[in-house]
């Protein structure tokens, strides 16, 4: 994690906990595979919208996982940027008229990922948590559990998402 280690050194003292968490949540071990851990990290770093964090995570991820994982993570971040706004609106408003209308938004990548459906859904879940879309979180959490992941997988993915969000903010503390 050379790029992330260098980035962590730029965190101010106020973000010391985030600096330590950024290192620990990406360590091997636990229920997540390398592809799941780094896919979630890439997707949520992109969704956090901090170019320095994104670039560091991408640089380190490329040393661990293949290009398909990174491509799926990018696609998950892009799709959830759209879906989280749309479905968060429908859920928040709660009117039947909106619920009954088809989204008519392309989402083919969700059913045809470059890696596995369960990993892609996990990346989407983590980004949805970061973007606070309840409807998407519920949908993706249900899917990953139905496809054999556990509460521990979900928990660790969301821990990574939360840490990426905090790392992005920490880089802006000055």
């Amino acid at each position: 994690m050379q790029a992330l280690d260098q980035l962590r050194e730029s965190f101010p003292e106020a973000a010391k906990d985030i600096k330590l968490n950024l290192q620990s949540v990406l360590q091997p071990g636990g229920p997540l595979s390398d592809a799941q851990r780094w896919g979630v990290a890439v997707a949520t770093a992109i969704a956090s919208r901090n170019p320095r964090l994104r670039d560091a995570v991408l640089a380190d991820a490329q040393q661990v996982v293949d290009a398909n994982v990174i491509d799926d993570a990018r696609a998950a971040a892009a799709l959830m940027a759209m879906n989280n706004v749309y479905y968060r609106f429908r859920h928040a408003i709660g009117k039947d008229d909106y619920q009954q209308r088809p989204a008519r938004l392309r989402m083919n990548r969700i059913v045809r990922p470059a890696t596995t459906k369960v990993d892609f859904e996990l990346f989407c879940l983590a980004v949805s948590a970061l973007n606070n879309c309840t409807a998407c979180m519920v949908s993706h959490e249900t899917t990953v559990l139905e496809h054999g992941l556990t509460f521990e997988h979900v928990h660790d993915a969301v821990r990574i998402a939360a840490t990426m969000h905090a790392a992005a903010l920490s880089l802006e503390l000055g």
Side-chain angles (χ1 to χ4, degrees):
M1 295 194 316
Q2 184 177 2
L4 278 172
D5 287 344
Q6 289 176 348
L7 185 71
R8 288 174 47 249
E9 293 307 315
S10 69
F11 284 22
E13 182 61 26
K16 182 177 181 180
D17 290 328
I18 307 310
K19 177 181 178 178
L20 296 171
N21 290 336
L22 184 58
Q23 181 181 30
S24 68
V25 297
L26 294 174
Q27 292 299 313
L32 297 177
S33 68
D34 286 344
Q36 291 166 338
R37 185 172 51 259
W38 284 101
V40 166
V42 169
T44 56
I46 291 168
S48 293
R49 294 187 173 104
N50 184 292
R52 290 175 58 204
L53 178 63
R54 178 201 63 217
D55 293 347
V57 171
L58 280 168
D60 286 349
Q62 290 168 345
Q63 304 301 312
V64 181
V65 297
D66 70 42
N68 286 333
V69 172
I70 293 169
D71 193 49
D72 270 356
R74 286 178 166 151
L79 278 173
M80 292 307 101
M82 173 183 69
N83 285 0
N84 292 161
V85 171
Y86 180 77
Y87 289 104
R88 191 171 56 233
F89 167 81
R90 280 178 43 162
H91 178 76
I93 296 297
K95 293 182 179 174
D96 287 340
D97 192 52
Y98 297 118
Q99 301 298 333
Q100 295 171 6
R101 294 178 186 272
R104 292 194 331 239
L105 298 170
R106 286 183 55 100
M107 301 175 235
N108 292 334
R109 186 63 175 267
I110 293 176
V111 294
R112 283 187 232 105
T115 58
T116 67
K117 176 153 179 68
V118 70
D119 286 0
F120 192 86
E121 292 276 349
L122 187 67
F123 305 162
C124 291
L125 170 62
V127 173
S128 296
L130 191 145
N131 290 334
N132 196 28
C133 181
T134 302
C136 292
M137 284 187 281
V138 169
S139 174
H140 296 295
E141 192 256 4
T142 299
T143 301
V144 299
L145 294 177
E146 287 174 351
H147 282 84
L149 296 188
T150 65
F151 293 117
E152 288 79 16
H153 288 94
V154 172
H155 179 257
D156 281 1
V158 175
R159 287 177 61 238
I160 293 169
T163 303
M164 288 298 160
H165 180 68
L169 182 128
S170 297
L171 289 165
E172 296 175 10
L173 291 177

